Amino acid sequence: MSASRRSGTTDEIGPDEPERDGPEGSDGSDLLAALLDGMDAALCAFDADGVVTHWNREAERILGWSAEEAVGRHGFAGWAVRSADAEEVEGRLLSAMHAPGRQVHEFALLTKDGGRVLVRTQSAAVRGPDGKPAGVYCAFSEVHTQIDLERSIALSEALFEDASWGVVLVDVDLRPAVVNAHAARALGVGRTSALGRPLGDLLVQGVEELESALAHVLAEGAPPAPAEIWVSVRTPEGEKRRCWRCGFVRLASPLAEEPVPLGVGWLFNDVTEARQGEQEASLLRFRTNQLHRAARAAAECEDPREAAVVHLDFALAGFADHALIDRVAGGAVADGEATGPLRLVRVAATPSGAPGPSPLTGQAGLPVRYPEGHPALQCVERIGAVRASAGAIPAEEVREWASTRQWPEDAVHALCAVLRSRGRTLGAVTFLRSAGRSQFERADAVYAEDVAVRIAGALDLGEVLGAVDGDGQG
């Protein structure tokens, strides 16, 4: 006998058909029973007279009535529904035989132990070979389970349509499978054009870190806290560096006996402005602290020139790799008093080898061989900061570019700030960065000018004291 008949169900609504010859289950009843019992939703069916013909295991789990107890009963009256409600419930269910499509209802059913459970049903007509109604099938589930499912579906749709942060489903090959509108705008691509493409096609920088995070989630599960990842994206205005605060969840199939990873849910929000603000505030605090420390250390120097070098050394930390102080040959020049081309004499320079304090030089007063148009000369002539960079050129040309300007060979970026005191130009201070650092920005020029004011004050004081000593009044 087939499994469906052993459980009290029949293969179709109506009288039992005679057994066919062949091995057990060859008539398909075992397959039907397996399909019904494997469903996630509870299912029952009635014939045209309202007699229960099918009852699966999910229905038994929800209400507690087994298939042997349910199949063959007429309607739900007296066992699965209160007698007072039986007529209304059965009328609503059986009305599906004569209605097009499916009908959805909610009502309370009774459990075997006397409890009540609110269910949501979907019922539709079952038609015979002649096309006439032969019965009704009814699929039902607990209302709270259905509501949870609907909420999950609604949440998914909202995330992929209206969310104010980026949502991307990444498959096990680390390629986007679904992208919401916010994420597509952040990546600078269309929602469909991003699908199936390697992340390296969508991001310029930060791909390795992002792919490493996704691979970790696939292998180990979601991290305990969000991660911040810096990336560079392509825009019509060029590449832009962005900081994304990312959360990750591993997606597993609910249909598999063991968790089978389907991919990773990647949620991110752009926090670039906040992080840049924090970095700028932190950098400002550090530089202000360095200026304060330099002022305290310089106050203990007897020689003003040593004080100038102290300011230079403190400014170098975290700001540049090399620094130079050049004075105008022949002494400070008041505005409009220069009668010929300016020449600069090296006063101090950071050591090119091992780190240490900058030594004082220039006692001989020999001018530095700066070519015409040198940034330091431009800085003195314009009485303002000047920035210069070697740009994207081969390493050999970079060394030539630096040596021609009398700078260390690894210099790639330069910032010159004028030394001014008492309305006169004393010279220039030059800060140099190697290839491992970024170009000088406007904020760097402001800091360099602050340092230059302190260096100029110390050098001017040394000039005044030297003049006093030379007059024999010291």
Side-chain angles (χ1 to χ4, degrees):
M1 182 178 293
S2 69
S4 60
R5 290 189 174 88
R6 285 199 302 270
S7 62
T9 62
T10 59
D11 298 328
E12 62 179 283
I13 296 176
D16 290 348
E17 294 182 355
E19 294 276 1
R20 294 186 178 93
D21 296 334
E24 182 178 354
S26 63
D27 60 355
S29 57
D30 284 346
L31 176 59
L32 176 60
L35 290 174
L36 293 179
D37 288 340
M39 293 177 61
D40 292 331
L43 185 135
C44 65
F46 304 88
D47 62 15
D49 297 325
V51 176
V52 178
T53 60
H54 292 74
W55 190 266
N56 72 349
R57 288 182 182 176
E58 184 64 12
E60 178 180 350
R61 185 193 67 80
I62 294 176
L63 298 180
W65 301 96
S66 66
E68 288 79 3
E69 295 171 310
V71 173
R73 291 179 179 265
H74 190 281
F76 284 157
W79 62 288
V81 175
R82 292 193 311 172
S83 299
D85 300 331
E87 183 177 354
E88 178 188 358
V89 170
E90 292 178 13
R92 292 165 68 182
L93 288 176
L94 296 179
S95 66
M97 279 194 296
H98 307 288
R102 293 179 297 177
Q103 291 189 337
V104 179
H105 301 287
E106 288 185 7
F107 44 75
L109 297 180
L110 294 178
T111 62
K112 187 175 182 180
D113 58 8
R116 300 182 70 195
V117 58
L118 185 63
V119 300
R120 178 174 295 178
T121 66
Q122 293 187 43
S123 54
V126 177
R127 302 189 180 278
D130 56 357
K132 296 181 179 180
V136 175
Y137 81 84
C138 172
F140 63 91
S141 60
E142 297 174 84
V143 166
H144 70 83
T145 302
Q146 184 71 17
I147 291 176
D148 288 344
L149 176 60
E150 292 178 1
R151 284 173 177 163
S152 298
I153 296 173
L155 174 61
S156 298
E157 293 180 350
L159 286 175
F160 287 110
E161 295 296 336
D162 306 322
S164 58
W165 56 87
V167 182
V168 180
L169 295 189
V170 183
D171 62 23
V172 292
D173 294 326
L174 305 185
R175 297 177 182 238
V178 184
V179 178
N180 78 339
H182 186 97
R185 289 193 298 269
L187 292 168
V189 296
R191 292 185 63 179
T192 56
S193 62
L195 304 184
R197 296 172 60 184
L199 294 174
D201 291 351
L202 306 177
L203 300 175
V204 181
Q205 295 180 354
V207 178
E208 294 81 2
E209 186 176 359
L210 178 58
E211 288 184 341
S212 176
L214 293 171
H216 173 80
V217 174
L218 280 173
E220 305 292 338
E228 293 185 359
I229 300 178
W230 283 90
V231 301
S232 293
V233 296
R234 298 181 181 89
T235 67
E237 296 78 23
E239 296 180 6
K240 286 191 176 181
R241 188 163 169 78
R242 314 301 298 171
C243 181
W244 290 344
R245 185 173 177 84
C246 302
F248 304 95
V249 290
R250 181 167 60 178
L251 306 178
S253 172
L255 304 178
E257 294 184 3
E258 297 181 359
V260 176
L262 296 178
V264 177
W266 168 33
L267 296 85
F268 66 90
N269 192 28
D270 195 319
V271 294
T272 306
E273 293 184 2
R275 293 298 167 266
Q276 287 179 341
E278 292 175 0
Q279 290 177 354
E280 291 172 0
S282 177
L283 183 61
L284 179 60
R285 287 194 300 269
F286 173 76
R287 290 179 175 177
T288 302
N289 187 45
Q290 286 296 97
L291 291 174
H292 174 71
R293 293 175 60 198
R296 290 175 60 89
E300 304 299 324
C301 297
E302 294 184 4
D303 186 347
R305 294 194 307 164
E306 291 182 0
V309 172
V310 166
H311 284 292
L312 184 71
D313 291 337
F314 271 91
L316 202 64
F319 182 66
D321 297 306
H322 306 284
L324 314 168
I325 298 178
D326 297 324
R327 286 201 61 173
V328 175
V333 178
D335 295 347
E337 291 186 357
T339 57
L342 292 173
R343 295 183 299 172
L344 299 177
V345 177
R346 181 68 45 81
V347 175
T350 53
S352 58
S358 302
L360 289 168
T361 60
Q363 285 81 1
L366 298 177
V368 184
R369 294 180 297 105
Y370 283 153
E372 185 178 355
H374 190 281
L377 296 176
Q378 293 182 29
C379 169
V380 172
E381 293 170 356
R382 299 176 184 177
I383 313 179
V386 173
R387 286 177 284 172
S389 180
I393 59 177
E396 293 182 358
E397 296 183 21
V398 169
R399 288 192 291 269
E400 182 180 353
W401 178 86
S403 61
T404 301
R405 289 159 178 77
Q406 308 300 315
W407 292 334
E409 291 185 351
D410 61 342
V412 175
H413 311 295
L415 171 60
C416 300
V418 65
L419 301 177
R420 295 275 294 178
S421 179
R422 294 189 296 154
R424 301 177 306 155
T425 299
L426 280 71
V429 57
T430 301
F431 294 98
L432 302 169
R433 287 177 177 174
S434 60
R437 293 176 178 264
S438 62
Q439 297 184 20
F440 289 100
E441 303 292 343
R442 176 56 192 162
D444 298 325
V446 172
Y447 178 62
E449 289 169 348
D450 286 342
V451 176
V453 168
R454 289 162 170 78
I455 293 175
L459 293 178
D460 194 19
L461 177 60
E463 184 178 299
V464 171
L465 292 178
V468 171
D469 292 339
D471 292 339
Q473 300 176 7

